[in-house]
Amino acid sequence: IEKCTLKDHGGFGVLSTHSSSVFIKSCSIEECQMSGIKCSGGSFNTVSDSIISKNMRSGIEIWANAGGSFTGNLVHDNENWGIMCRGQSNPRFGRTSIIRNKMGGMM
């Protein structure tokens, strides 16, 4: 997914499960009723140079056995955590700004 806007979805902006791989670059994911991005169940996601903002849950949720590379993103003004990592998740972050999220930057 490249150079797109995902806005005002009734669920997650991007949901990646069961060993899937999603590549997101230069996108805006905002105002979703759930989290902007949710990775779970062995998925591996690459998110770069994107804005994840104003989602009703976390900006990015990374659940057990999921991972990914998150570089050059702005995660801001989400209703829960900016980035929430659970269980045995394995994310890598670089040059990511996490600001003004209601529960905090990262859990």
Side-chain angles (χ1 to χ4, degrees), residues 17-74:
T17 63
H18 298 91
S19 301
S20 62
S21 294
V22 176
F23 300 91
I24 300 167
K25 182 175 183 177
S26 301
C27 291
S28 175
I29 302 171
E30 58 188 51
E31 298 178 16
C32 298
Q33 294 300 310
M34 302 293 272
S35 293
I37 299 170
K38 181 179 179 182
C39 320
S40 66
S43 64
F44 186 90
N45 298 279
T46 300
V47 182
S48 63
D49 304 320
S50 295
I51 298 170
I52 299 102
S53 67
K54 302 176 187 165
N55 297 292
M56 295 307 290
R57 285 179 40 184
S58 296
I60 301 171
E61 290 184 30
I62 306 163
W63 285 66
N65 301 319
S69 173
F70 302 87
T71 304
N73 301 297
L74 174 58

